[in-house]
Amino acid sequence: MNITQAIKNRIEELCQENGITQNKMCTLCGITQSTINNIMNRNQKDVSLLTIVRICNGLNMTLEDFFNCDIFKQKIEEKI
């Protein structure tokens, strides 16, 4: 699994855990729907740390919380 896929999976997991849609997450986090769509559809090869910080802030979690899950305990491939 590459890092973009891991972040996509984590976003899906967070939406499920919080009982929200991706659209609601965008509203809570102050990011555009197109940003999430690009991540989820793998059109965006790199996800900026700022986007992840905004997700964390919007969901009242830390970066440590975001990355402290089974998804990121797997080996991450360097290929994008």
Side-chain angles (χ1 to χ4, degrees):
M1 176 181 319
N2 66 39
I3 189 67
T4 304
Q5 183 65 42
I7 291 169
K8 174 188 172 194
N9 292 352
R10 182 61 170 147
I11 289 170
E12 290 173 342
E13 183 179 79
L14 289 169
C15 285
Q16 286 180 339
E17 287 175 5
N18 288 283
I20 58 174
T21 63
Q22 290 174 14
N23 186 38
K24 178 67 175 177
M25 186 187 73
C26 290
T27 301
L28 291 172
C29 301
I31 54 179
T32 63
Q33 185 69 45
S34 63
T35 296
I36 290 298
N37 289 344
N38 286 336
I39 294 168
M40 303 314 275
N41 297 325
R42 302 193 73 197
N43 297 332
Q44 186 169 327
K45 294 183 179 180
D46 295 321
V47 180
S48 75
L49 185 56
L50 180 58
T51 298
I52 296 171
V53 166
R54 287 179 176 160
I55 291 170
C56 292
N57 290 341
L59 299 178
N60 295 316
M61 62 189 306
T62 65
L63 280 170
E64 181 179 8
D65 294 332
F66 185 90
F67 289 107
N68 188 20
C69 65
D70 290 339
I71 293 168
F72 294 104
K73 292 180 182 174
Q74 301 173 32
K75 182 177 178 174
I76 302 292
E77 296 176 14
E78 291 184 37
K79 295 180 206 171
I80 297 178

